Amino acid sequence: MALLQATGDPALAKMKVDQVPMRGGAFVGYLLAEEHHQEVRDKALSFLLNRPAVAPAPRPDDDELRTMMGLLTGDELTERAYRFGREELALDDFPREARWTGERPDAASDCTVLIIGAGASGICAGIQFERLGIPYTIVERQGDLGGTWNLNRYPDARVDTSSYLYQFKFEKNYPWPEYFASQVEVKRYLEYIAKKYGVYDKIQFNVEVTKALFDEDDRTWKVEATGADGGSRALEANVVISAAGMFSTPKFPDITGIGDLEGRLFHTTAWDDSYDATGQRIAVIGNGSTGVQLVPKLAETAELVVAFQRTPQWISPMEGYRELITPEVRWLFENVPFYWNWFCYSAQVTSSGLQGAQVYDREWQKTHGGISERNDGLRRSLTEYIRGKVGHDPELFARCVPDYAPLARRLVVDNGWYDALLRDNVELVTEGIDRITAQGIQTVDGYEHKVDAIVFASGFEVTKYLWPTDYVGRGGVHMEDLWEKDGPRAYLGLTVPGFPNLFIFYGPNSQPRAGAFLSWVEIWARYSAQAVVAMIEGGKRTIEVKQEVFADYNARLDEVTKDRIWEKEGPAGKNYYVNKFGRQNVNLPWDNDEYFLMVESPDLGDFILR
């Protein structure tokens, strides 16, 4: 595709693309038919050898680009898929930039923005306002930027989606060292972005916002915070962006005797970098993404690792998970025009295919049971993967295979979990925990597992979207009180009636179902910044979503969610997607490209501007 864009060679456009089922048909890989491989190599070599004499290819127009994107998969694109995909291809310098309709107005200098959180979301929001020339400040309760990537420093923490998905589209060809970046590399990337795009110096660290009150008289947010010294601070802003995120508040299981342990006890978000696991007996509570990453690493040096599993996970292999990016691939990124763009776009297209396996197929259920052909195929594929790892031990195999549908909970990537379970110094415990004792953990069968340290890999309080800030809107209404009915709700996951000039990133029901999370951070940042632009250009001081728009959106969200598998198929009470009211409160129910049309730009008819 890169060569086609660079040369316009019609022979490349006629080549056959094979659609190859992956993970039991859960999604599809798009591969150029092998019969064309040598021809492409020859054409690429000729192009590169003669490149100095070749004029730069003109930017394709919309019709040409849409046709080219369809050639990648062999399918025609819908309008919404094209509009979303065009930005993912990232041919523009800054594909998702908020803009003034004309010259920057002088009134922009009078509008101040407070961004809470200096993780990926806060940094991205800051970049939008930096480019617009709207004054802003970022406050961060930790001592450094990175958000969850500063908080989670446990051994072997890393992304479980491709580095080429987990990146901003306005920064081209960042030199990732690995296909799946480590925590250290992700944090280094975010620091690089913050400094390059001018937001780093606008961050105030060790500042925790505790309360934000909307003052109806002067239509500003009055913000209370504490500094590193514990002293109170008063801040004020016209607009507040909550970029606290969903994975920011550690969750501890409710276990009797937590304070009784004589050894070490800590959550993975409070990892002690000086802790040496060598020769230690360590209990790890939790087998989600964190626990699965951590246990194999600890087992390399510990005397014993006791992994406590409440619910087995669907754990998937991931090609290239620990592979370094070779100099040859790096050379392609740096020397073949558009190669980086199409490489990243193809990763997004392939990943997005997984969405279809999260949807009930009612006709399939009538004749086959299960969920759908794609979900049932994924279940068979993952079961066989587990069988290939531990199937020689029938008792262990039975404890490792879930009894619920895959994707009803978050799919976990195998970081050596099953290999670790086969080690002599690793024990998998599936009995329930009764209490923590002075010497370790006692399970419900009365057995005491004696350990030197307990690590909680128990995740986050994902419904505490705004914690620890108490938001008080018009009429003295507290956001938490508003959300007591059936959990947090927002319009588009971004804004709530009664709370003018407040935007929430990674808010209720906004987790993308597949693909590139940082792309959605960019989209939310553009949407919010564009709403502020409309307010300023309109000579207004507040922008607030209409109650009826909010209510209609959430009614539609609930209806669409009924055809998604999360509420019914996951183990009750053991699925972070589902809140205490039984409502799925985390994921977007819509396909990525459908939701994209809703947040591509704010519809001012949805808002009250005053």
mmCIF file with all atom_site columns, all heavy atoms in Angstrom, residues 562-578:
data_model
loop_
_atom_site.group_PDB
_atom_site.id
_atom_site.type_symbol
_atom_site.label_atom_id
_atom_site.label_alt_id
_atom_site.label_comp_id
_atom_site.label_asym_id
_atom_site.label_entity_id
_atom_site.label_seq_id
_atom_site.pdbx_PDB_ins_code
_atom_site.Cartn_x
_atom_site.Cartn_y
_atom_site.Cartn_z
_atom_site.occupancy
_atom_site.B_iso_or_equiv
_atom_site.pdbx_formal_charge
_atom_site.auth_seq_id
_atom_site.auth_comp_id
_atom_site.auth_asym_id
_atom_site.auth_atom_id
_atom_site.pdbx_PDB_model_num
ATOM 1   N N   . LYS A 1 562 ? -27.646 -4.146  25.232 1.00 0.00 ? 562 LYS A N   1
ATOM 2   C CA  . LYS A 1 562 ? -28.348 -5.426  25.383 1.00 0.00 ? 562 LYS A CA  1
ATOM 3   C C   . LYS A 1 562 ? -27.836 -6.477  24.402 1.00 0.00 ? 562 LYS A C   1
ATOM 4   O O   . LYS A 1 562 ? -27.918 -7.676  24.674 1.00 0.00 ? 562 LYS A O   1
ATOM 5   C CB  . LYS A 1 562 ? -29.854 -5.224  25.175 1.00 0.00 ? 562 LYS A CB  1
ATOM 6   C CG  . LYS A 1 562 ? -30.537 -4.418  26.266 1.00 0.00 ? 562 LYS A CG  1
ATOM 7   C CD  . LYS A 1 562 ? -32.016 -4.217  25.951 1.00 0.00 ? 562 LYS A CD  1
ATOM 8   C CE  . LYS A 1 562 ? -32.699 -3.362  27.011 1.00 0.00 ? 562 LYS A CE  1
ATOM 9   N NZ  . LYS A 1 562 ? -34.143 -3.118  26.686 1.00 0.00 ? 562 LYS A NZ  1
ATOM 10  N N   . ASP A 1 563 ? -27.331 -6.043  23.261 1.00 0.00 ? 563 ASP A N   1
ATOM 11  C CA  . ASP A 1 563 ? -26.821 -6.981  22.267 1.00 0.00 ? 563 ASP A CA  1
ATOM 12  C C   . ASP A 1 563 ? -25.325 -7.237  22.415 1.00 0.00 ? 563 ASP A C   1
ATOM 13  O O   . ASP A 1 563 ? -24.730 -7.916  21.584 1.00 0.00 ? 563 ASP A O   1
ATOM 14  C CB  . ASP A 1 563 ? -27.112 -6.467  20.854 1.00 0.00 ? 563 ASP A CB  1
ATOM 15  C CG  . ASP A 1 563 ? -28.521 -6.803  20.393 1.00 0.00 ? 563 ASP A CG  1
ATOM 16  O OD1 . ASP A 1 563 ? -29.074 -7.800  20.870 1.00 0.00 ? 563 ASP A OD1 1
ATOM 17  O OD2 . ASP A 1 563 ? -29.062 -6.046  19.561 1.00 0.00 ? 563 ASP A OD2 1
ATOM 18  N N   . ARG A 1 564 ? -24.719 -6.694  23.451 1.00 0.00 ? 564 ARG A N   1
ATOM 19  C CA  . ARG A 1 564 ? -23.312 -6.952  23.744 1.00 0.00 ? 564 ARG A CA  1
ATOM 20  C C   . ARG A 1 564 ? -23.239 -7.934  24.906 1.00 0.00 ? 564 ARG A C   1
ATOM 21  O O   . ARG A 1 564 ? -24.131 -7.997  25.746 1.00 0.00 ? 564 ARG A O   1
ATOM 22  C CB  . ARG A 1 564 ? -22.575 -5.650  24.086 1.00 0.00 ? 564 ARG A CB  1
ATOM 23  C CG  . ARG A 1 564 ? -22.773 -4.536  23.049 1.00 0.00 ? 564 ARG A CG  1
ATOM 24  C CD  . ARG A 1 564 ? -22.205 -4.896  21.676 1.00 0.00 ? 564 ARG A CD  1
ATOM 25  N NE  . ARG A 1 564 ? -22.420 -3.827  20.716 1.00 0.00 ? 564 ARG A NE  1
ATOM 26  C CZ  . ARG A 1 564 ? -23.334 -3.846  19.756 1.00 0.00 ? 564 ARG A CZ  1
ATOM 27  N NH1 . ARG A 1 564 ? -24.166 -4.890  19.662 1.00 0.00 ? 564 ARG A NH1 1
ATOM 28  N NH2 . ARG A 1 564 ? -23.448 -2.848  18.898 1.00 0.00 ? 564 ARG A NH2 1
ATOM 29  N N   . ILE A 1 565 ? -22.146 -8.654  25.001 1.00 0.00 ? 565 ILE A N   1
ATOM 30  C CA  . ILE A 1 565 ? -22.113 -9.822  25.880 1.00 0.00 ? 565 ILE A CA  1
ATOM 31  C C   . ILE A 1 565 ? -21.717 -9.525  27.316 1.00 0.00 ? 565 ILE A C   1
ATOM 32  O O   . ILE A 1 565 ? -21.783 -10.405 28.179 1.00 0.00 ? 565 ILE A O   1
ATOM 33  C CB  . ILE A 1 565 ? -21.155 -10.894 25.310 1.00 0.00 ? 565 ILE A CB  1
ATOM 34  C CG1 . ILE A 1 565 ? -19.707 -10.368 25.303 1.00 0.00 ? 565 ILE A CG1 1
ATOM 35  C CG2 . ILE A 1 565 ? -21.588 -11.305 23.926 1.00 0.00 ? 565 ILE A CG2 1
ATOM 36  C CD1 . ILE A 1 565 ? -18.681 -11.406 24.860 1.00 0.00 ? 565 ILE A CD1 1
ATOM 37  N N   . TRP A 1 566 ? -21.338 -8.293  27.658 1.00 0.00 ? 566 TRP A N   1
ATOM 38  C CA  . TRP A 1 566 ? -20.652 -8.033  28.915 1.00 0.00 ? 566 TRP A CA  1
ATOM 39  C C   . TRP A 1 566 ? -21.514 -8.254  30.156 1.00 0.00 ? 566 TRP A C   1
ATOM 40  O O   . TRP A 1 566 ? -21.038 -8.760  31.163 1.00 0.00 ? 566 TRP A O   1
ATOM 41  C CB  . TRP A 1 566 ? -20.105 -6.603  28.915 1.00 0.00 ? 566 TRP A CB  1
ATOM 42  C CG  . TRP A 1 566 ? -19.273 -6.305  27.721 1.00 0.00 ? 566 TRP A CG  1
ATOM 43  C CD1 . TRP A 1 566 ? -18.152 -6.987  27.297 1.00 0.00 ? 566 TRP A CD1 1
ATOM 44  C CD2 . TRP A 1 566 ? -19.486 -5.267  26.761 1.00 0.00 ? 566 TRP A CD2 1
ATOM 45  N NE1 . TRP A 1 566 ? -17.659 -6.425  26.145 1.00 0.00 ? 566 TRP A NE1 1
ATOM 46  C CE2 . TRP A 1 566 ? -18.453 -5.367  25.793 1.00 0.00 ? 566 TRP A CE2 1
ATOM 47  C CE3 . TRP A 1 566 ? -20.436 -4.252  26.631 1.00 0.00 ? 566 TRP A CE3 1
ATOM 48  C CZ2 . TRP A 1 566 ? -18.372 -4.501  24.714 1.00 0.00 ? 566 TRP A CZ2 1
ATOM 49  C CZ3 . TRP A 1 566 ? -20.341 -3.382  25.558 1.00 0.00 ? 566 TRP A CZ3 1
ATOM 50  C CH2 . TRP A 1 566 ? -19.318 -3.509  24.611 1.00 0.00 ? 566 TRP A CH2 1
ATOM 51  N N   . GLU A 1 567 ? -22.765 -7.846  30.114 1.00 0.00 ? 567 GLU A N   1
ATOM 52  C CA  . GLU A 1 567 ? -23.592 -7.903  31.325 1.00 0.00 ? 567 GLU A CA  1
ATOM 53  C C   . GLU A 1 567 ? -24.065 -9.309  31.649 1.00 0.00 ? 567 GLU A C   1
ATOM 54  O O   . GLU A 1 567 ? -24.238 -9.665  32.822 1.00 0.00 ? 567 GLU A O   1
ATOM 55  C CB  . GLU A 1 567 ? -24.799 -6.970  31.175 1.00 0.00 ? 567 GLU A CB  1
ATOM 56  C CG  . GLU A 1 567 ? -24.435 -5.507  31.185 1.00 0.00 ? 567 GLU A CG  1
ATOM 57  C CD  . GLU A 1 567 ? -25.642 -4.583  31.067 1.00 0.00 ? 567 GLU A CD  1
ATOM 58  O OE1 . GLU A 1 567 ? -26.767 -5.078  30.850 1.00 0.00 ? 567 GLU A OE1 1
ATOM 59  O OE2 . GLU A 1 567 ? -25.446 -3.364  31.190 1.00 0.00 ? 567 GLU A OE2 1
ATOM 60  N N   . LYS A 1 568 ? -24.283 -10.132 30.634 1.00 0.00 ? 568 LYS A N   1
ATOM 61  C CA  . LYS A 1 568 ? -24.894 -11.450 30.851 1.00 0.00 ? 568 LYS A CA  1
ATOM 62  C C   . LYS A 1 568 ? -23.900 -12.601 30.901 1.00 0.00 ? 568 LYS A C   1
ATOM 63  O O   . LYS A 1 568 ? -24.136 -13.595 31.581 1.00 0.00 ? 568 LYS A O   1
ATOM 64  C CB  . LYS A 1 568 ? -25.910 -11.732 29.732 1.00 0.00 ? 568 LYS A CB  1
ATOM 65  C CG  . LYS A 1 568 ? -27.032 -10.711 29.614 1.00 0.00 ? 568 LYS A CG  1
ATOM 66  C CD  . LYS A 1 568 ? -27.923 -10.702 30.837 1.00 0.00 ? 568 LYS A CD  1
ATOM 67  C CE  . LYS A 1 568 ? -29.090 -9.736  30.649 1.00 0.00 ? 568 LYS A CE  1
ATOM 68  N NZ  . LYS A 1 568 ? -29.942 -9.649  31.862 1.00 0.00 ? 568 LYS A NZ  1
ATOM 69  N N   . GLU A 1 569 ? -22.787 -12.468 30.197 1.00 0.00 ? 569 GLU A N   1
ATOM 70  C CA  . GLU A 1 569 ? -21.917 -13.630 30.008 1.00 0.00 ? 569 GLU A CA  1
ATOM 71  C C   . GLU A 1 569 ? -20.738 -13.694 30.977 1.00 0.00 ? 569 GLU A C   1
ATOM 72  O O   . GLU A 1 569 ? -20.142 -14.742 31.150 1.00 0.00 ? 569 GLU A O   1
ATOM 73  C CB  . GLU A 1 569 ? -21.383 -13.647 28.568 1.00 0.00 ? 569 GLU A CB  1
ATOM 74  C CG  . GLU A 1 569 ? -22.472 -13.646 27.508 1.00 0.00 ? 569 GLU A CG  1
ATOM 75  C CD  . GLU A 1 569 ? -23.450 -14.803 27.665 1.00 0.00 ? 569 GLU A CD  1
ATOM 76  O OE1 . GLU A 1 569 ? -23.027 -15.905 28.063 1.00 0.00 ? 569 GLU A OE1 1
ATOM 77  O OE2 . GLU A 1 569 ? -24.649 -14.591 27.377 1.00 0.00 ? 569 GLU A OE2 1
ATOM 78  N N   . GLY A 1 570 ? -20.367 -12.566 31.576 1.00 0.00 ? 570 GLY A N   1
ATOM 79  C CA  . GLY A 1 570 ? -19.255 -12.582 32.510 1.00 0.00 ? 570 GLY A CA  1
ATOM 80  C C   . GLY A 1 570 ? -19.680 -13.123 33.861 1.00 0.00 ? 570 GLY A C   1
ATOM 81  O O   . GLY A 1 570 ? -20.863 -13.085 34.220 1.00 0.00 ? 570 GLY A O   1
ATOM 82  N N   . PRO A 1 571 ? -18.740 -13.613 34.659 1.00 0.00 ? 571 PRO A N   1
ATOM 83  C CA  . PRO A 1 571 ? -19.080 -14.123 35.994 1.00 0.00 ? 571 PRO A CA  1
ATOM 84  C C   . PRO A 1 571 ? -19.614 -13.001 36.879 1.00 0.00 ? 571 PRO A C   1
ATOM 85  O O   . PRO A 1 571 ? -18.999 -11.946 36.992 1.00 0.00 ? 571 PRO A O   1
ATOM 86  C CB  . PRO A 1 571 ? -17.757 -14.681 36.526 1.00 0.00 ? 571 PRO A CB  1
ATOM 87  C CG  . PRO A 1 571 ? -16.696 -13.997 35.718 1.00 0.00 ? 571 PRO A CG  1
ATOM 88  C CD  . PRO A 1 571 ? -17.294 -13.714 34.383 1.00 0.00 ? 571 PRO A CD  1
ATOM 89  N N   . ALA A 1 572 ? -20.769 -13.218 37.480 1.00 0.00 ? 572 ALA A N   1
ATOM 90  C CA  . ALA A 1 572 ? -21.434 -12.178 38.272 1.00 0.00 ? 572 ALA A CA  1
ATOM 91  C C   . ALA A 1 572 ? -20.548 -11.708 39.417 1.00 0.00 ? 572 ALA A C   1
ATOM 92  O O   . ALA A 1 572 ? -19.972 -12.513 40.154 1.00 0.00 ? 572 ALA A O   1
ATOM 93  C CB  . ALA A 1 572 ? -22.755 -12.715 38.823 1.00 0.00 ? 572 ALA A CB  1
ATOM 94  N N   . GLY A 1 573 ? -20.443 -10.391 39.538 1.00 0.00 ? 573 GLY A N   1
ATOM 95  C CA  . GLY A 1 573 ? -19.674 -9.806  40.623 1.00 0.00 ? 573 GLY A CA  1
ATOM 96  C C   . GLY A 1 573 ? -18.172 -9.885  40.449 1.00 0.00 ? 573 GLY A C   1
ATOM 97  O O   . GLY A 1 573 ? -17.423 -9.484  41.328 1.00 0.00 ? 573 GLY A O   1
ATOM 98  N N   . LYS A 1 574 ? -17.716 -10.405 39.307 1.00 0.00 ? 574 LYS A N   1
ATOM 99  C CA  . LYS A 1 574 ? -16.277 -10.595 39.105 1.00 0.00 ? 574 LYS A CA  1
ATOM 100 C C   . LYS A 1 574 ? -15.847 -10.036 37.749 1.00 0.00 ? 574 LYS A C   1
ATOM 101 O O   . LYS A 1 574 ? -14.986 -10.590 37.076 1.00 0.00 ? 574 LYS A O   1
ATOM 102 C CB  . LYS A 1 574 ? -15.913 -12.086 39.196 1.00 0.00 ? 574 LYS A CB  1
ATOM 103 C CG  . LYS A 1 574 ? -16.291 -12.731 40.518 1.00 0.00 ? 574 LYS A CG  1
ATOM 104 C CD  . LYS A 1 574 ? -16.017 -14.218 40.506 1.00 0.00 ? 574 LYS A CD  1
ATOM 105 C CE  . LYS A 1 574 ? -16.455 -14.873 41.809 1.00 0.00 ? 574 LYS A CE  1
ATOM 106 N NZ  . LYS A 1 574 ? -16.225 -16.337 41.797 1.00 0.00 ? 574 LYS A NZ  1
ATOM 107 N N   . ASN A 1 575 ? -16.471 -8.950  37.354 1.00 0.00 ? 575 ASN A N   1
ATOM 108 C CA  . ASN A 1 575 ? -16.212 -8.381  36.046 1.00 0.00 ? 575 ASN A CA  1
ATOM 109 C C   . ASN A 1 575 ? -16.173 -6.871  36.175 1.00 0.00 ? 575 ASN A C   1
ATOM 110 O O   . ASN A 1 575 ? -17.198 -6.249  36.470 1.00 0.00 ? 575 ASN A O   1
ATOM 111 C CB  . ASN A 1 575 ? -17.317 -8.803  35.072 1.00 0.00 ? 575 ASN A CB  1
ATOM 112 C CG  . ASN A 1 575 ? -17.065 -8.351  33.649 1.00 0.00 ? 575 ASN A CG  1
ATOM 113 O OD1 . ASN A 1 575 ? -16.041 -7.725  33.363 1.00 0.00 ? 575 ASN A OD1 1
ATOM 114 N ND2 . ASN A 1 575 ? -17.994 -8.668  32.760 1.00 0.00 ? 575 ASN A ND2 1
ATOM 115 N N   . TYR A 1 576 ? -15.004 -6.270  35.988 1.00 0.00 ? 576 TYR A N   1
ATOM 116 C CA  . TYR A 1 576 ? -14.910 -4.833  36.235 1.00 0.00 ? 576 TYR A CA  1
ATOM 117 C C   . TYR A 1 576 ? -15.697 -4.012  35.229 1.00 0.00 ? 576 TYR A C   1
ATOM 118 O O   . TYR A 1 576 ? -15.929 -2.825  35.433 1.00 0.00 ? 576 TYR A O   1
ATOM 119 C CB  . TYR A 1 576 ? -13.449 -4.386  36.314 1.00 0.00 ? 576 TYR A CB  1
ATOM 120 C CG  . TYR A 1 576 ? -12.736 -4.088  35.012 1.00 0.00 ? 576 TYR A CG  1
ATOM 121 C CD1 . TYR A 1 576 ? -12.930 -2.884  34.349 1.00 0.00 ? 576 TYR A CD1 1
ATOM 122 C CD2 . TYR A 1 576 ? -11.818 -4.988  34.477 1.00 0.00 ? 576 TYR A CD2 1
ATOM 123 C CE1 . TYR A 1 576 ? -12.255 -2.582  33.167 1.00 0.00 ? 576 TYR A CE1 1
ATOM 124 C CE2 . TYR A 1 576 ? -11.135 -4.691  33.313 1.00 0.00 ? 576 TYR A CE2 1
ATOM 125 C CZ  . TYR A 1 576 ? -11.355 -3.499  32.663 1.00 0.00 ? 576 TYR A CZ  1
ATOM 126 O OH  . TYR A 1 576 ? -10.684 -3.204  31.506 1.00 0.00 ? 576 TYR A OH  1
ATOM 127 N N   . TYR A 1 577 ? -16.147 -4.648  34.141 1.00 0.00 ? 577 TYR A N   1
ATOM 128 C CA  . TYR A 1 577 ? -17.007 -3.931  33.209 1.00 0.00 ? 577 TYR A CA  1
ATOM 129 C C   . TYR A 1 577 ? -18.366 -3.582  33.825 1.00 0.00 ? 577 TYR A C   1
ATOM 130 O O   . TYR A 1 577 ? -19.012 -2.629  33.401 1.00 0.00 ? 577 TYR A O   1
ATOM 131 C CB  . TYR A 1 577 ? -17.287 -4.783  31.966 1.00 0.00 ? 577 TYR A CB  1
ATOM 132 C CG  . TYR A 1 577 ? -16.114 -5.044  31.064 1.00 0.00 ? 577 TYR A CG  1
ATOM 133 C CD1 . TYR A 1 577 ? -16.186 -6.036  30.092 1.00 0.00 ? 577 TYR A CD1 1
ATOM 134 C CD2 . TYR A 1 577 ? -14.934 -4.299  31.130 1.00 0.00 ? 577 TYR A CD2 1
ATOM 135 C CE1 . TYR A 1 577 ? -15.133 -6.295  29.227 1.00 0.00 ? 577 TYR A CE1 1
ATOM 136 C CE2 . TYR A 1 577 ? -13.881 -4.553  30.274 1.00 0.00 ? 577 TYR A CE2 1
ATOM 137 C CZ  . TYR A 1 577 ? -13.990 -5.558  29.322 1.00 0.00 ? 577 TYR A CZ  1
ATOM 138 O OH  . TYR A 1 577 ? -12.946 -5.807  28.475 1.00 0.00 ? 577 TYR A OH  1
ATOM 139 N N   . VAL A 1 578 ? -18.808 -4.371  34.781 1.00 0.00 ? 578 VAL A N   1
ATOM 140 C CA  . VAL A 1 578 ? -20.178 -4.278  35.308 1.00 0.00 ? 578 VAL A CA  1
ATOM 141 C C   . VAL A 1 578 ? -20.143 -3.709  36.725 1.00 0.00 ? 578 VAL A C   1
ATOM 142 O O   . VAL A 1 578 ? -19.419 -4.211  37.585 1.00 0.00 ? 578 VAL A O   1
ATOM 143 C CB  . VAL A 1 578 ? -20.870 -5.659  35.293 1.00 0.00 ? 578 VAL A CB  1
ATOM 144 C CG1 . VAL A 1 578 ? -22.289 -5.554  35.843 1.00 0.00 ? 578 VAL A CG1 1
ATOM 145 C CG2 . VAL A 1 578 ? -20.883 -6.228  33.874 1.00 0.00 ? 578 VAL A CG2 1
#
